PDB file of all heavy atoms in Angstrom:
ATOM      1  N   PHE A 342      11.491 -31.631  -1.917  1.00 94.00           N
ATOM      2  CA  PHE A 342      12.913 -31.449  -1.801  1.00 94.00           C
ATOM      3  C   PHE A 342      13.651 -32.365  -2.770  1.00 94.00           C
ATOM      4  O   PHE A 342      14.467 -31.898  -3.518  1.00 94.00           O
ATOM      5  CB  PHE A 342      13.327 -31.795  -0.305  1.00 94.00           C
ATOM      6  CG  PHE A 342      14.913 -31.756  -0.121  1.00 94.00           C
ATOM      7  CD1 PHE A 342      15.486 -30.521   0.066  1.00 94.00           C
ATOM      8  CD2 PHE A 342      15.602 -32.873   0.034  1.00 94.00           C
ATOM      9  CE1 PHE A 342      16.872 -30.474   0.178  1.00 94.00           C
ATOM     10  CE2 PHE A 342      17.025 -32.829   0.127  1.00 94.00           C
ATOM     11  CZ  PHE A 342      17.599 -31.635   0.316  1.00 94.00           C
ATOM     12  N   PRO A 352      23.894 -34.064  -6.461  1.00 90.00           N
ATOM     13  CA  PRO A 352      24.084 -35.536  -6.430  1.00 90.00           C
ATOM     14  C   PRO A 352      23.263 -36.168  -5.322  1.00 90.00           C
ATOM     15  O   PRO A 352      22.927 -35.587  -4.322  1.00 90.00           O
ATOM     16  CB  PRO A 352      25.605 -35.592  -6.034  1.00 90.00           C
ATOM     17  CG  PRO A 352      26.203 -34.273  -6.230  1.00 90.00           C
ATOM     18  CD  PRO A 352      25.117 -33.307  -6.138  1.00 90.00           C
ATOM     19  N   ASP A 353      22.694 -37.453  -5.664  1.00 91.00           N
ATOM     20  CA  ASP A 353      21.910 -38.181  -4.886  1.00 91.00           C
ATOM     21  C   ASP A 353      22.432 -38.334  -3.468  1.00 91.00           C
ATOM     22  O   ASP A 353      21.685 -38.252  -2.432  1.00 91.00           O
ATOM     23  CB  ASP A 353      21.692 -39.601  -5.402  1.00 91.00           C
ATOM     24  CG  ASP A 353      20.750 -39.649  -6.543  1.00 91.00           C
ATOM     25  OD1 ASP A 353      19.944 -38.615  -6.680  1.00 91.00           O
ATOM     26  OD2 ASP A 353      20.724 -40.472  -7.412  1.00 91.00           O
ATOM     27  N   GLU A 354      23.771 -38.485  -3.267  1.00 89.00           N
ATOM     28  CA  GLU A 354      24.308 -38.696  -1.977  1.00 89.00           C
ATOM     29  C   GLU A 354      24.124 -37.373  -1.098  1.00 89.00           C
ATOM     30  O   GLU A 354      23.754 -37.537   0.059  1.00 89.00           O
ATOM     31  CB  GLU A 354      25.856 -38.817  -2.077  1.00 89.00           C
ATOM     32  CG  GLU A 354      26.581 -39.147  -0.715  1.00 89.00           C
ATOM     33  CD  GLU A 354      27.989 -39.372  -0.981  1.00 89.00           C
ATOM     34  OE1 GLU A 354      28.459 -40.115  -1.701  1.00 89.00           O
ATOM     35  OE2 GLU A 354      28.760 -38.702  -0.192  1.00 89.00           O
ATOM     36  N   GLN A 355      24.288 -36.237  -1.701  1.00 86.00           N
ATOM     37  CA  GLN A 355      24.002 -35.047  -0.927  1.00 86.00           C
ATOM     38  C   GLN A 355      22.583 -34.799  -0.628  1.00 86.00           C
ATOM     39  O   GLN A 355      22.164 -34.295   0.432  1.00 86.00           O
ATOM     40  CB  GLN A 355      24.559 -33.822  -1.733  1.00 86.00           C
ATOM     41  CG  GLN A 355      25.988 -33.586  -1.697  1.00 86.00           C
ATOM     42  CD  GLN A 355      26.518 -32.360  -2.417  1.00 86.00           C
ATOM     43  OE1 GLN A 355      25.598 -31.616  -2.858  1.00 86.00           O
ATOM     44  NE2 GLN A 355      27.754 -32.175  -2.529  1.00 86.00           N
ATOM     45  N   ILE A 356      21.650 -35.230  -1.583  1.00 89.00           N
ATOM     46  CA  ILE A 356      20.252 -35.122  -1.296  1.00 89.00           C
ATOM     47  C   ILE A 356      19.778 -35.974  -0.129  1.00 89.00           C
ATOM     48  O   ILE A 356      19.127 -35.550   0.744  1.00 89.00           O
ATOM     49  CB  ILE A 356      19.421 -35.489  -2.554  1.00 89.00           C
ATOM     50  CG1 ILE A 356      19.695 -34.571  -3.757  1.00 89.00           C
ATOM     51  CG2 ILE A 356      17.957 -35.731  -2.278  1.00 89.00           C
ATOM     52  CD1 ILE A 356      19.069 -34.952  -5.086  1.00 89.00           C
ATOM     53  N   GLN A 357      20.350 -37.220  -0.022  1.00 88.00           N
ATOM     54  CA  GLN A 357      20.032 -38.096   1.078  1.00 88.00           C
ATOM     55  C   GLN A 357      20.541 -37.590   2.404  1.00 88.00           C
ATOM     56  O   GLN A 357      19.824 -37.695   3.405  1.00 88.00           O
ATOM     57  CB  GLN A 357      20.601 -39.589   0.740  1.00 88.00           C
ATOM     58  CG  GLN A 357      19.961 -40.262  -0.369  1.00 88.00           C
ATOM     59  CD  GLN A 357      18.442 -40.120  -0.345  1.00 88.00           C
ATOM     60  OE1 GLN A 357      17.731 -40.493   0.671  1.00 88.00           O
ATOM     61  NE2 GLN A 357      17.708 -39.779  -1.517  1.00 88.00           N
ATOM     62  N   LYS A 358      21.680 -36.971   2.466  1.00 84.00           N
ATOM     63  CA  LYS A 358      22.307 -36.420   3.650  1.00 84.00           C
ATOM     64  C   LYS A 358      21.453 -35.276   4.059  1.00 84.00           C
ATOM     65  O   LYS A 358      21.279 -34.976   5.253  1.00 84.00           O
ATOM     66  CB  LYS A 358      23.665 -35.944   3.372  1.00 84.00           C
ATOM     67  CG  LYS A 358      24.737 -37.094   3.326  1.00 84.00           C
ATOM     68  CD  LYS A 358      26.079 -36.424   3.207  1.00 84.00           C
ATOM     69  CE  LYS A 358      27.173 -37.430   3.066  1.00 84.00           C
ATOM     70  NZ  LYS A 358      28.517 -36.847   2.732  1.00 84.00           N
ATOM     71  N   GLY A 359      21.016 -34.361   3.178  1.00 82.00           N
ATOM     72  CA  GLY A 359      20.340 -33.142   3.555  1.00 82.00           C
ATOM     73  C   GLY A 359      18.781 -33.166   3.687  1.00 82.00           C
ATOM     74  O   GLY A 359      18.338 -32.189   4.320  1.00 82.00           O
ATOM     75  N   LYS A 360      18.157 -34.255   3.244  1.00 82.00           N
ATOM     76  CA  LYS A 360      16.823 -34.219   3.307  1.00 82.00           C
ATOM     77  C   LYS A 360      16.045 -34.094   4.654  1.00 82.00           C
ATOM     78  O   LYS A 360      15.047 -33.651   4.838  1.00 82.00           O
ATOM     79  CB  LYS A 360      16.232 -35.294   2.428  1.00 82.00           C
ATOM     80  CG  LYS A 360      16.406 -36.749   3.138  1.00 82.00           C
ATOM     81  CD  LYS A 360      15.687 -37.729   2.175  1.00 82.00           C
ATOM     82  CE  LYS A 360      15.725 -39.146   2.899  1.00 82.00           C
ATOM     83  NZ  LYS A 360      15.016 -40.068   2.150  1.00 82.00           N
ATOM     84  N   ASP A 361      16.804 -34.725   5.719  1.00 84.00           N
ATOM     85  CA  ASP A 361      16.186 -34.756   7.035  1.00 84.00           C
ATOM     86  C   ASP A 361      16.794 -33.785   8.054  1.00 84.00           C
ATOM     87  O   ASP A 361      16.528 -33.829   9.240  1.00 84.00           O
ATOM     88  CB  ASP A 361      16.208 -36.129   7.599  1.00 84.00           C
ATOM     89  CG  ASP A 361      15.350 -37.082   6.793  1.00 84.00           C
ATOM     90  OD1 ASP A 361      14.243 -36.629   6.361  1.00 84.00           O
ATOM     91  OD2 ASP A 361      15.726 -38.182   6.501  1.00 84.00           O
ATOM     92  N   ILE A 362      17.784 -32.972   7.603  1.00 86.00           N
ATOM     93  CA  ILE A 362      18.442 -32.051   8.511  1.00 86.00           C
ATOM     94  C   ILE A 362      17.758 -30.746   8.603  1.00 86.00           C
ATOM     95  O   ILE A 362      17.362 -30.155   7.595  1.00 86.00           O
ATOM     96  CB  ILE A 362      19.889 -31.741   7.965  1.00 86.00           C
ATOM     97  CG1 ILE A 362      20.759 -33.056   7.891  1.00 86.00           C
ATOM     98  CG2 ILE A 362      20.586 -30.652   8.839  1.00 86.00           C
ATOM     99  CD1 ILE A 362      22.119 -32.800   7.338  1.00 86.00           C
ATOM    100  N   THR A 381      23.201 -25.956   7.274  1.00 87.00           N
ATOM    101  CA  THR A 381      22.610 -27.283   7.086  1.00 87.00           C
ATOM    102  C   THR A 381      23.677 -28.304   7.480  1.00 87.00           C
ATOM    103  O   THR A 381      24.502 -28.564   6.611  1.00 87.00           O
ATOM    104  CB  THR A 381      22.085 -27.450   5.684  1.00 87.00           C
ATOM    105  OG1 THR A 381      21.271 -26.350   5.370  1.00 87.00           O
ATOM    106  CG2 THR A 381      21.262 -28.696   5.590  1.00 87.00           C
ATOM    107  N   GLY A 382      23.523 -28.823   8.713  1.00 83.00           N
ATOM    108  CA  GLY A 382      24.590 -29.751   9.133  1.00 83.00           C
ATOM    109  C   GLY A 382      25.972 -28.994   9.140  1.00 83.00           C
ATOM    110  O   GLY A 382      26.046 -28.023   9.778  1.00 83.00           O
ATOM    111  N   SER A 383      26.980 -29.538   8.399  1.00 83.00           N
ATOM    112  CA  SER A 383      28.228 -28.952   8.388  1.00 83.00           C
ATOM    113  C   SER A 383      28.362 -27.946   7.211  1.00 83.00           C
ATOM    114  O   SER A 383      29.413 -27.218   7.087  1.00 83.00           O
ATOM    115  CB  SER A 383      29.370 -30.030   8.249  1.00 83.00           C
ATOM    116  OG  SER A 383      29.172 -30.723   7.080  1.00 83.00           O
TER     117      SER A 383
END
Side-chain angles (χ1 to χ4, degrees):
F342 175 80
D353 285 339
E354 183 180 309
Q355 284 184 4
I356 293 171
Q357 294 310 310
K358 283 182 185 176
K360 72 178 183 175
D361 295 320
I362 297 176
T381 307
S383 61

